[in-house]
Amino acid sequence: MGSVLFYHLTRHPLEVTLPMLLEKSRAVGWRVVVRGRTEQQLRWLDDKLWLGPEDGVLPHGLAGSGFDADQPVLLTTGMAAPNGAACLMAVDGAEVDADEAGRMARVCILFDGNDEAALNRARGQWKTLTGAGVAAQYWSEESGRWQKKAETGG
């Protein structure tokens, strides 16, 4: 059973933090699903990921391209992982259920610490997932570097 890591973004926006986490996940050989709530946001993320440094291009694709199963990183609004992902990264308050958290090697929930609705959504997800017995960690960059602030054993 994997764990869920909550990333409270306060200093760096999603378009900076997500590529860093994707690179770390890919470095250990995981395929990744990035789940958002809207197609518009995922298209925006798609553009941001392609605009990274030339030596750090992160191969990825949007769901529905016809090559979903081949994508090392798949951006989707769906609940499935057609690319065989071992890691799920949920953004913009996208749903994560306890069963899939248990099947994945890692789940990351990234939320904007400057948005009260996003904070409340993340708090609700923490309560739901940990209440279902999922191990979780809460990470904050408030001090200027990422620090683990809380952990439950699941």
Side-chain angles (χ1 to χ4, degrees), residues 84-107:
C87 179
L88 164 66
M89 298 201 184
V91 300
D92 193 32
E95 288 293 324
V96 175
D97 70 43
D99 289 338
E100 74 181 330
R103 290 189 306 270
M104 294 282 180
R106 173 80 38 90
V107 173

Side-chain angles (χ1 to χ4, degrees), residues 40-97:
Q40 178 182 357
Q41 184 203 34
L42 292 177
R43 283 192 300 275
W44 176 81
L45 277 174
D46 178 50
D47 289 344
K48 295 296 183 185
L49 291 173
W50 285 121
L51 293 174
E54 285 187 32
D55 63 342
V57 172
L58 190 63
H60 69 281
L62 287 165
S65 68
F67 300 98
D68 293 2
D70 300 325
Q71 299 298 336
V73 175
L74 182 66
L75 284 64
T76 184
T77 58
M79 294 297 285
N83 66 341
C87 179
L88 164 66
M89 298 201 184
V91 300
D92 193 32
E95 288 293 324
V96 175
D97 70 43

Side-chain angles (χ1 to χ4, degrees), residues 135-149:
Q137 297 177 0
Y138 166 70
W139 291 80
S140 171
E141 63 176 347
E142 193 173 53
S143 69
R145 63 183 185 87
W146 286 104
Q147 292 181 304
K148 184 172 29 171
K149 297 289 191 165

